[in-house]
């Protein structure tokens, strides 16, 4: 695929974009000099937008100059993120770049979306033989032309092998992403264009995040130092705004390893699997934290949406629904793939629920304190 | 490897173990694919716990182990590790290289299995496995027939092993998706059949919504629910009156644990049969539709009934996640099952219908053994009918093993001089 500069600048993580930047042969020092101030500003904004969770600006008509600035800013912004050494920022950044790519993809012609999918390792396949499409039969069915037009492209069905679908959907929750609710025929499943681009967003996120955890040794340059500390301050700002100052009544050292892991994931801005989120909320609630305290725990999630999280918490804790849910049993945790790093205590026969761990650990620690006191 | 601490074996345990040694000396199990990368686990006769984290580098070691130890139960991991004998598990997991995809069907999970005899249970599980492989693994998930290897477990179930390279790297979340797909867990009718606007009233700005029932060829559970609809409606039509139809629904609700009560069942039947002679039902069948009039509402409960015709009861849906646990040990093909003496034997899919475990998995030979039977017992095993009376009996070794292992017979004090 050979794309023009305008299109290419929307997807700077592609191989062709990388080739382009490489061909410019601009050394880092020059990139950081006053001559390239616009690139630096653009790079900084990219990262800051990610921290803010800002709306994606989709500017389709731009000058050649803009496009070049955009393309060059991507590797610089990655360099900045890696230089802060902050894993949470890396998560936020890659998530935001993924969302940006999807925003653009949603307006591209289908063939562009498909070739992007191929490059990202998620190629579609032919509709399997025996798969039936077509209108629904119902006597009162109105003429589809009378319905609001959703565009020819959206109606087109795309097919993906389930083996490539499953790993790509791991971090997406919701019933419509469960295999059981999808049209599976002969090893492939039916997706619409929207669903497909949502998966591509995940693939972009993975690709952007790759390598961001590498140690970089930034050259000693005043302009660079300034940018990095500005970013760090901004990141700290969001973390401080959002992260719980204290865990209320919760004693961290008593947490079972699974909850420690899940809590760590949520606080470092990793997207939690749905099971994990659910388990953590029930656990924190049962351990005596208030909804407000629990809310703060989730503020670091890359896809944090305040209203939704609040609704979910209140639903699970029973504040807004008739039932309050119990902490899932260890078996369920295992089945859901969120039983992390079980330790000696977990292996005990009677250890059937993370809450038991928390209580037992509490007693153990109390008796230890008594031991040392006497 | 940990040393085996054992209490002295009872005469019965000694007999059982002797049988296994004799067998393994002649025919040790074949080494499974990439056996050196797998973790092994064994449960000895008279043992209290399993020994695991064992590995073998050569087939001769494996054979010698079976010959000398003659374990009561033998397992290996579905996973491949670069260091399969590493302990603790946490460290070993770091060397995880992928895992076969395993499906385990066991009589425990067949509804009302406790009311069935051993032979009936085995037959039921076999039918279920046939359906799992044909309808789900091959037809839906697209695995090749040769890519799915079936085993009789030696006990009360069957296993399906898939070693396709595309499934090896799947993590437990991916496998959970497959389990949900096969069991019909987390089916969401609002996603399968979403509301769509069928009528827009421009004057009042209102719209009428109805489920989009897609079509029979949509695939996945949509297709299964279409088929389930046909089965359900045909069964309903065959019944003489509405009362027996309600009974039928209640029965399905009970066995499939749908939790749909009397009142709901009555209202479904009423909806379907309010026009005499089942006109509605006939149209639903002939025109392949769920809703035939715009007033008739097909509710979610009807869809639940239709779906219940296709779901599979996997072993350990809730307590033993065989499929989703990527570090689990599975019973070793070719080994003997300690509670029956049967061999864990491969069954080609085409031979499954005619496969009879009590004939085809018998492994221990026909040498006569005298045992003392606790009570009368009848069974057909190894192609022979047995009608045994309580007390001292002489039976072929395979049956003696079966009876002793299941606590139905004891060794005679003077007979233990094999």
């Amino acid at each position: 695929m050979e794309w023009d500069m305008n299109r290419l600048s929307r997807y700077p993580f592609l191989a062709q974009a990388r080739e382009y930047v490489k061909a410019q042969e601009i050394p880092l020092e020059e990139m950081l000099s006053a001559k390239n101030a616009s690139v630096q500003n653009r790079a900084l904004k990219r990262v800051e937008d990610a921290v803010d969770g800002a709306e994606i600006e989709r500017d389709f008509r731009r000058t050649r100059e803009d496009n070049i600035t955009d393309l060059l800013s991507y590797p610089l912004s990655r360099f900045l993120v890696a230089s802060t050494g902050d894993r949470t920022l890396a998560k936020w950044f890659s998530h935001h770049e993924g969302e940006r790519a999807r925003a653009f993809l949603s307006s591209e012609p289908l063939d562009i979306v498909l070739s992007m999918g191929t490059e990202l390792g998620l190629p579609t396949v032919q509709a399997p033989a025996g798969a039936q499409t077509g209108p629904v039969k119902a006597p009162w069915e109105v003429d589809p032309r009378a319905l609001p037009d959703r565009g020819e492209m959206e109606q087109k069905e795309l097919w993906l092998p389930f083996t490539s679908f499953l790993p790509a959907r791991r971090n997406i929750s919701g019933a419509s992403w469960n295999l059981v609710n999808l049209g599976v025929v002969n090893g492939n499943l039916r997706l619409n264009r929207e669903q497909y681009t949502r998966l591509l967003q995940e693939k972009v996120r993975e690709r952007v995040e790759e390598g961001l955890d590498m140690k970089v040794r930034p050259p000693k340059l005043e302009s660079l130092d300034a940018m990095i500390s500005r970013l760090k301050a901004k990141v700290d700002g969001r973390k401080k705004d959002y992260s719980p100052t204290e865990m209320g009544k919760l004693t961290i050292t008593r947490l079972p390893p699974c909850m420690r892991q899940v809590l760590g994931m949520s606080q470092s801005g990793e997207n939690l699997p749905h099971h994990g989120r659910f388990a953590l909320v029930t656990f924190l609630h049962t351990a005596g934290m208030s909804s407000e305290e629990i809310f703060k725990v989730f503020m670091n999630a890359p896809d944090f949406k305040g209203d939704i999280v609040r609704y979910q918490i209140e639903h699970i804790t029973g504040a807004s629904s008739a039932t309050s849910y119990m902490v899932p049993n260890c078996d369920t945790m295992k089945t859901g793939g969120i039983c992390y790093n079980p330790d000696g205590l977990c292996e005990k026969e009677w250890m059937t629920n993370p809450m038991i761990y928390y209580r037992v650990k509490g007693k153990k620690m109390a008796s230890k304190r008594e031991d040392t006191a006497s | 490897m940990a040393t085996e601490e054992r209490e002295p074996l009872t005469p019965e345990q000694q007999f059982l173990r002797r049988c296994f040694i004799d067998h393994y000396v002649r025919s040790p199990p074949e080494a499974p694919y990439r056996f050196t990368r797998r973790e092994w686990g064994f449960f000895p006769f008279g043992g209290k716990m399993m020994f695991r984290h064992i590995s073998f580098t050569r087939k001769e070691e494996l054979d010698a182990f079976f010959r000398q130890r003659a374990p009561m139960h033998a397992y290996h991991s579905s996973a491949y590790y670069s260091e399969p004998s590493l302990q603790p598990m946490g460290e070993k997991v770091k060397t995880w290289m992928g895992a076969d995809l395993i499906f385990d069907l066991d009589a425990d999970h067949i509804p009302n299995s406790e009311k069935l005899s051993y032979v009936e249970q085995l037959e039921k599980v076999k039918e279920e496995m046939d359906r799992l492989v044909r309808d789900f693994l091959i037809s839906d998930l697209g695995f090749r027939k040769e890519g799915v290897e079936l085993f009789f477990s030696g006990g009360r179930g069957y296993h399906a092993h898939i070693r396709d390279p595309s499934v090896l790297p799947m993590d437990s979340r991916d496998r959970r998706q497959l389990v949900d797909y096969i069991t019909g867990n987390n089916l969401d009718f609002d996603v399968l059949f979403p509301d769509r606007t069928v009528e827009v009233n421009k004057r009042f700005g209102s719209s009428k919504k109805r489920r989009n029932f897609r079509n029979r060829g949509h695939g996945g559970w949509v297709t299964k629910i279409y088929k389930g609809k046909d089965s359900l409606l045909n069964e309903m039509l065959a019944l003489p009156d509405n009362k027996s139809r309600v009974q039928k629904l209640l029965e399905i609700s009970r066995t499939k644990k749908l939790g749909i009560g009397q009142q709901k069942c009555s209202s479904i039947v009423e909806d379907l049969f309010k026009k005499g002679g089942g006109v509605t039902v006939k149209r639903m069948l002939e025109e392949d539709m769920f809703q035939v009039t715009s007033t008739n509402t097909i509710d979610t409960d009807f869809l639940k009934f239709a779906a219940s015709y296709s779901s599979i009861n996997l072993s350990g849906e809730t307590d033993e996640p065989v499929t989703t646990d990527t570090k689990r040990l599975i019973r070793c093909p070719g080994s003997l099952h300690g509670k029956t003496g049967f061999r864990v034997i491969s069954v080609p899919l085409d031979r499954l219908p005619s496969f009879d475990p009590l004939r085809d998995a018998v492994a221990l030979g026909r040498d006569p053994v005298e045992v003392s039977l606790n009570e009368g017992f009848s069974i057909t095993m190894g192609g022979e009918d047995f009608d045994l009376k309580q007390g001292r009996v002489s039976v072929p070794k395979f049956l003696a093993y079966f009876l002793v292992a299941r606590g139905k017979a004891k060794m005679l004090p003077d007979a233990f001089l094999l």
Side-chain angles (χ1 to χ4, degrees):
Chain A
M1 109 184 119
E2 187 72 26
W3 291 348
D4 63 62
M5 288 291 285
N6 190 11
R7 179 160 282 144
L8 197 58
S9 69
R10 298 168 199 160
Y11 313 106
F13 47 83
L14 293 177
Q16 195 194 332
R18 224 173 17 233
E19 290 306 312
Y20 171 82
V21 174
K22 226 188 205 164
Q24 307 307 304
E25 294 186 339
I26 307 172
L28 187 61
E29 278 73 13
E30 190 187 326
M31 193 75 102
L32 292 166
S33 70
K35 192 176 115 195
N36 280 312
S38 60
V39 177
Q40 293 155 30
N41 288 336
R42 181 77 190 93
L44 210 51
K45 184 161 171 7
R46 267 194 126 98
V47 187
E48 287 180 337
D49 279 357
V51 178
D52 293 334
E55 282 286 308
I56 311 289
E57 286 173 33
R58 290 191 308 163
D59 34 2
F60 286 98
R61 287 186 189 177
R62 295 182 302 181
T63 63
R64 188 178 162 74
E65 206 60 32
D66 291 340
N67 292 330
I68 293 173
T69 305
D70 222 15
L71 274 172
L72 293 176
S73 75
Y74 174 72
L76 183 59
S77 62
R78 276 176 58 90
F79 179 77
L80 289 174
V81 172
S83 299
T84 63
D86 191 314
R87 294 291 297 136
T88 307
L89 178 59
K91 301 270 181 205
W92 288 342
F93 177 71
S94 50
H95 182 79
H96 195 256
E97 287 293 324
E99 285 196 323
R100 181 174 187 269
R102 176 157 73 120
F104 281 117
L105 278 175
S106 64
S107 310
E108 300 279 12
L110 187 61
D111 59 327
I112 296 289
V113 176
L114 294 181
S115 65
M116 175 81 75
T118 304
E119 166 144 3
L120 290 170
L122 214 56
T124 55
V125 294
Q126 293 278 312
Q132 186 183 334
T133 56
V136 190
K137 289 175 282 175
W140 62 84
E141 185 89 64
V142 296
D143 186 346
R145 281 168 300 183
L147 295 172
D149 182 26
R150 300 188 65 210
E152 165 267 327
M153 296 185 304
E154 306 218 355
Q155 308 303 331
K156 169 113 180 149
E157 284 173 347
L158 304 174
W159 291 86
L160 207 58
F162 83 91
T163 45
S164 61
F165 167 78
L166 289 180
R169 66 155 287 285
R170 279 176 195 162
N171 289 307
I172 313 176
S173 52
S176 59
W177 291 98
N178 288 337
L179 191 67
V180 71
N181 294 319
L182 289 162
V184 186
V185 181
N186 202 11
N188 300 306
L189 53 94
R190 186 194 301 262
L191 295 174
N192 63 26
R193 182 191 152 110
E194 265 168 82
Q195 291 171 306
Y196 185 60
T197 41
R198 178 66 186 84
L199 291 176
L200 293 187
Q201 176 189 333
E202 287 297 302
K203 285 290 189 186
V204 171
R205 181 183 59 71
E206 282 170 22
R207 182 177 282 202
V208 173
E209 195 178 337
E210 227 173 68
L212 283 182
D213 55 348
M214 270 192 308
K215 281 247 180 298
V216 292
R217 241 176 266 119
K220 277 282 152 214
L221 280 172
E222 231 172 85
S223 59
L224 182 63
D225 285 348
M227 280 194 278
I228 293 174
S229 44
R230 184 170 144 187
L231 280 179
K232 276 186 175 161
K234 194 161 177 75
V235 169
D236 285 346
R238 173 167 169 190
K239 283 187 185 168
K240 204 150 129 209
D241 284 353
Y242 291 154
S243 67
T245 43
E246 55 173 36
M247 297 292 290
K249 300 178 187 110
L250 199 71
T251 321
I252 300 276
T253 44
R254 282 166 60 189
L255 287 182
C258 51
M259 292 300 164
R260 218 178 267 219
Q261 171 82 18
V262 175
L263 185 67
M265 279 164 78
S266 87
Q267 300 213 316
S268 65
E270 264 176 76
N271 233 349
L272 273 187
H274 173 73
H275 296 299
R277 220 179 266 227
F278 175 83
L280 186 57
V281 172
T282 53
F283 182 87
L284 296 177
H285 175 64
T286 317
M289 273 173 77
S290 70
S291 292
E292 198 52 38
E293 288 167 324
I294 299 173
F295 182 71
K296 286 182 177 167
V297 171
F298 288 98
M299 282 177 156
N300 265 0
D303 60 347
F304 178 76
K305 305 261 185 328
D307 295 346
I308 298 175
V309 172
R310 199 176 292 278
Y311 167 79
Q312 285 175 341
I313 292 171
E314 292 187 344
H315 183 80
I316 295 171
T317 59
S320 66
S321 64
T323 35
S324 110
Y325 291 87
M326 311 283 282
V327 182
N329 280 332
C330 292
D331 286 339
T332 316
M333 302 278 293
K334 280 181 199 147
T335 313
I338 47 173
C339 169
Y340 298 105
N341 324 317
D343 63 13
L345 196 51
C346 296
E347 313 258 305
K348 298 269 191 246
E349 208 177 298
W350 39 264
M351 184 58 68
T352 52
N353 188 289
M355 214 56 218
I356 298 179
Y357 187 104
Y358 186 70
R359 297 211 174 100
V360 169
K361 199 80 184 240
K363 278 185 197 145
K364 279 200 172 161
M365 284 161 57
S367 67
K368 221 175 222 168
R369 270 198 299 279
E370 278 163 28
D371 288 350
T372 46
S374 59
Chain B
M1 199 188 112
T3 51
E4 291 179 40
E5 276 179 40
R6 276 202 315 232
E7 288 172 20
L9 297 183
T10 64
E12 283 74 26
Q13 287 166 339
Q14 287 185 44
F15 163 70
L16 299 176
R17 185 158 180 272
R18 191 69 238 169
C19 289
F20 274 26
I21 291 176
D22 290 347
H23 171 82
Y24 283 135
V25 164
R26 277 177 287 116
S27 41
E30 262 179 57
Y33 177 69
R34 288 170 80 194
F35 72 99
T36 60
R37 289 272 168 249
R38 299 188 193 254
E39 175 197 351
W40 292 74
F42 300 97
F43 196 97
F45 281 103
K48 294 228 165 20
M49 57 176 287
M50 172 139 72
F51 297 92
R52 54 185 298 184
H53 308 294
I54 299 165
S55 67
F56 299 98
T57 50
R58 295 182 312 127
K59 173 75 165 87
E60 293 75 39
E61 288 173 28
L62 189 66
D63 292 350
F65 187 96
F66 272 92
R67 259 194 329 263
Q68 288 155 15
R69 306 288 187 104
M72 182 177 179
H73 300 289
Y75 307 88
H76 63 65
S77 60
S78 61
Y80 308 96
Y81 302 98
S82 57
E83 292 181 60
S85 55
L86 204 61
Q87 294 185 66
M89 204 60 199
E91 287 301 307
K92 171 151 70 203
V93 169
K94 290 178 193 155
T95 76
W96 192 84
M97 301 160 72
D100 300 339
L101 181 61
I102 310 283
F103 295 95
D104 178 358
L105 290 185
D106 194 274
D108 284 354
H109 296 266
I110 303 290
N112 299 326
S113 69
E114 64 284 351
K115 290 182 197 144
L116 304 175
S117 72
Y118 180 67
V119 175
E120 288 169 330
Q121 288 177 355
L122 285 171
E123 195 57 31
K124 264 264 186 281
V125 185
K126 200 171 82 173
E127 286 165 18
E128 192 100 329
M129 184 49 105
D130 196 62
R131 211 154 58 79
L132 167 67
V133 176
R134 287 180 199 280
D135 295 356
F136 288 88
L137 301 182
I138 293 177
S139 163
D140 286 1
L141 297 175
F143 291 111
R144 287 172 310 111
K145 198 165 93 182
E146 315 77 65
V148 182
E149 207 175 353
L150 297 181
F151 293 96
F152 169 59
S153 75
R156 299 196 303 162
Y158 289 84
H159 300 167
H161 294 200
I162 298 172
R163 285 202 315 251
D164 193 281
S166 66
V167 305
L168 299 186
M170 285 188 176
D171 75 1
S172 55
R173 289 170 290 181
D174 303 345
R175 289 168 204 245
R176 177 83 234 167
Q177 287 284 315
L178 294 179
V179 169
D180 282 352
Y181 184 81
I182 284 160
T183 58
N185 185 32
N186 283 333
L187 268 179
D188 190 321
F189 298 113
D190 295 337
V191 177
L192 286 173
F193 308 115
D195 277 347
R196 62 146 62 175
T197 307
V198 290
E199 215 173 278
V200 183
N201 188 327
K202 287 197 178 120
R203 224 167 94 203
F204 298 111
S206 63
S207 60
K208 198 189 242 174
K209 288 191 159 70
R210 224 161 264 298
R211 280 195 195 281
N212 169 4
F213 281 98
R214 310 198 195 254
N215 55 52
R216 183 177 285 266
H218 185 81
W221 277 86
V222 169
T223 301
K224 291 181 195 304
I225 290 169
Y226 265 87
K227 290 181 186 159
K229 174 203 70 172
D230 294 352
S231 309
L232 179 64
L233 294 179
N234 281 320
E235 281 182 29
M236 298 265 104
L237 274 178
L239 292 168
D241 52 31
N242 282 359
K243 200 177 154 202
S244 47
R245 291 175 184 129
V246 174
Q247 283 311 313
K248 175 76 193 169
L249 287 184
L250 274 172
E251 186 197 313
I252 299 175
S253 173
R254 255 198 314 276
T255 49
K256 293 284 186 170
K257 298 196 175 74
L258 302 180
I260 300 170
Q262 170 97 37
Q263 212 171 356
K264 282 277 189 186
C265 292
S266 304
S267 89
I268 291 175
V269 171
E270 200 170 302
D271 247 6
L272 292 173
F273 289 91
K274 68 185 149 204
K275 282 195 189 145
V279 176
T280 307
V281 172
K282 279 179 191 146
R283 279 193 67 196
M284 285 172 78
L285 285 168
E286 278 160 17
E287 295 170 34
D288 205 8
M289 289 189 292
F290 282 82
Q291 284 172 311
V292 283
T293 65
S294 55
T295 51
N296 166 17
T297 52
I298 284 294
D299 64 3
T300 318
D301 290 331
F302 178 83
L303 298 176
K304 278 188 197 161
F305 278 116
S308 76
Y309 279 76
S310 293
S311 60
I312 299 257
N313 295 289
L314 279 184
S315 288
E317 252 170 70
T318 48
D319 48 355
E320 289 176 283
V322 176
T323 304
T324 57
D325 187 345
T326 56
K327 301 175 276 294
R328 199 184 169 82
L329 300 184
I330 51 172
R331 199 173 278 280
C332 170
S335 69
L336 301 178
H337 191 298
K339 281 191 184 150
T340 58
F342 294 147
R343 208 156 114 98
V344 182
I345 187 174
S346 168
V347 188
L349 181 61
D350 295 332
R351 296 242 296 277
L352 189 62
S354 64
F355 179 79
D356 174 8
L358 270 52
R359 178 192 64 211
D360 302 329
V362 165
L364 289 174
R366 295 179 173 272
D367 297 346
V369 177
E370 289 201 321
V371 294
S372 167
L373 199 58
N374 301 342
E375 54 185 55
F377 186 77
S378 301
I379 196 166
T380 302
M381 195 186 275
E384 223 178 299
D385 294 326
F386 296 93
D387 195 6
L388 305 170
K389 295 202 172 51
Q390 185 192 1
R392 189 172 183 132
V393 291
S394 175
V395 292
K397 188 153 95 174
F398 62 78
L399 182 55
Y401 187 100
F402 185 82
L403 293 170
V404 172
R406 296 171 78 83
K408 292 184 185 298
K410 288 207 164 22
M411 299 313 294
L412 293 160
D414 54 339
F416 190 60
L417 300 167
L418 285 169

